[in-house]
Amino acid sequence: MRGLDTSIRVVHMKIEIQEMTHNKGRIVFLDADPSIVNAIRRTMISDVPKMAIEKIEYHLGAIMDEGGKEFESVSPLFDEMIAHRLGLLPVPTDLDVFVFRSKCVCNGEGCPNCTIMYSLNKKGPCTVYSGDLEPLGDAKFKIKDDLVPIVKLNENQAILAYATAELSTGKDHAKYSPVCGVGHRYSAKISIDSAKCDHDARCIAVCPKDVFSKEGKKIVVAHPERCNLCMACVESCELNCVKVQEDPQRIVFRYETDGSLSAKDLLMRSLKILEEKFTGFSEQISALQE
Ligand SMILES: [Zn+2]
């Protein structure tokens, strides 16, 4: 590998956190390359691990309630469909506690460090919701969104099942991806040529994001950060006084988690994973040069 230029290009960029709630983040990267932001996006989708239900054991045969009434362990949906729905539920994930089952000290047998067990015990007629899954152990592992409908049980139908959640990544299955909406785009540079403008406010009427507003008679760009570059304003303006351009210096990055991880934890974890990957890569290159 002699002659290969392995000098490191240091990228100086600034970030501006515009929104950071429990499950949503909106960050503006200034003077960054889209490839860097895209690397974070891809890491969030496929490399940051999360807990999800992987195995379900259904009770077969009759189920009795406390009063001795007998229910059939059937439902209008196939067990596989119910399993699929359970698999997609957001299981709370503490990445400082949980480890991959295959790398756990229990040798993959399942223990509190790598597994969460849930029980599901419902008798019809009723709708079974995600909130009906009861964690065996700490109540903090209750499913994050408790109103996800799973199945509607009819009279005399019941479901009794045990579900096991474990840690994996989006590379393995989409249910292990903690992020459900993530994307980036250039920010918009919007200007209005007031001298040309007839103040007819067509751009205000067509803009789906309410970017423009009126100050007296004058139309002003009140919220440029809301613009999604749909160009409806440019098309509506016959006088060509609205100009919308992409600003490559400002990349807006938005993402939303499914609730299993907080938006902040997801961001920090993806940056940590990227850092580890690059450190490993750089070490391998250095080893080749020796
Ligand atoms: Zn274990």
Side-chain angles (χ1 to χ4, degrees):
M1 297 296 277
R2 262 168 228 292
L4 180 74
D5 179 15
T6 55
S7 56
I8 295 167
R9 184 169 66 101
V10 180
V11 181
H12 291 284
M13 59 181 184
K14 284 186 196 139
I15 67 165
E16 197 182 288
I17 295 177
Q18 290 190 336
E19 185 188 353
M20 190 60 74
T21 61
H22 178 71
N23 66 339
K24 261 189 203 168
R26 184 187 163 103
I27 300 161
V28 179
F29 288 80
L30 301 145
D31 301 319
D33 194 272
S35 61
I36 295 172
V37 184
N38 194 39
I40 298 173
R41 182 186 73 87
R42 294 182 60 136
T43 308
M44 282 183 172
I45 294 173
S46 58
D47 292 328
V48 178
K50 89 166 235 221
M51 300 292 282
I53 289 172
E54 171 66 11
K55 203 185 268 180
I56 296 152
E57 284 174 39
Y58 292 96
H59 172 87
L60 302 174
I63 298 167
M64 306 284 257
D65 72 359
E66 297 81 20
K69 191 183 169 196
E70 205 173 284
F71 293 78
E72 255 191 291
S73 60
V74 289
S75 78
L77 293 182
F78 292 117
D79 289 350
E80 289 87 342
M81 284 176 80
I82 296 174
H84 177 68
R85 291 179 181 189
L86 295 176
L88 295 171
L89 296 175
V91 174
T93 304
D94 185 347
L95 291 175
D96 292 327
V97 172
F98 292 112
V99 293
F100 292 106
R101 216 166 169 179
S102 55
K103 290 179 185 162
C104 185
V105 284
C106 70
N107 291 323
E109 281 189 16
C111 71
N113 290 331
C114 63
T115 308
I116 308 172
M117 289 275 289
Y118 292 92
S119 71
L120 181 61
N121 186 2
K122 287 292 279 185
K123 293 172 185 76
C126 71
T127 303
V128 181
Y129 289 100
S130 48
D132 294 321
L133 278 167
E134 292 294 339
L136 304 181
D138 205 326
K140 71 179 179 188
F141 297 126
K142 274 282 246 191
I143 301 294
K144 275 292 172 188
D145 189 339
D146 57 6
L147 281 176
V148 183
I150 309 293
V151 63
K152 267 187 179 174
L153 296 177
N154 290 320
E155 194 73 48
N156 297 324
Q157 294 186 335
I159 184 165
L160 175 59
Y162 291 94
T164 311
E166 59 180 70
L167 198 68
S168 193
T169 61
K171 267 185 205 158
D172 184 20
H173 190 289
K175 69 180 175 181
Y176 292 112
S177 189
V179 71
C180 46
V182 55
H184 57 87
R185 59 170 172 78
Y186 288 135
S187 140
K189 253 190 209 170
I190 309 165
S191 60
I192 295 177
D193 188 342
S194 297
K196 272 199 217 166
C197 185
D198 63 357
H199 312 293
D200 194 32
R202 283 181 300 271
C203 52
I204 298 184
V206 296
C207 179
K209 299 282 180 185
D210 296 327
V211 169
F212 306 97
S213 71
K214 259 196 160 176
E215 257 177 30
K217 271 187 92 182
K218 214 175 146 198
I219 297 171
V220 291
V221 186
H223 297 285
E225 77 285 354
R226 290 183 188 169
C227 177
N228 64 355
L229 302 162
C230 74
M231 301 292 170
C233 53
V234 177
E235 283 159 22
S236 77
C237 185
E238 288 139 24
L239 305 169
N240 290 330
C241 48
V242 187
K243 211 170 151 192
V244 178
Q245 280 175 305
E246 290 183 337
D247 181 355
Q249 253 68 56
R250 286 173 66 89
I251 300 171
V252 184
F253 178 70
R254 287 197 302 183
Y255 66 101
E256 202 174 314
T257 78
D258 66 350
S260 54
L261 288 167
S262 72
K264 188 184 165 197
D265 283 350
L266 175 62
L267 178 68
M268 298 314 282
R269 190 56 64 150
S270 47
L271 293 176
K272 195 175 163 212
I273 291 171
L274 271 177
E275 191 185 356
E276 284 166 5
K277 276 190 178 178
F278 284 120
T279 311
F281 186 52
S282 138
E283 280 167 9
Q284 285 178 17
I285 294 281
S286 308
L288 281 174
Q289 282 182 318
E290 276 161 12

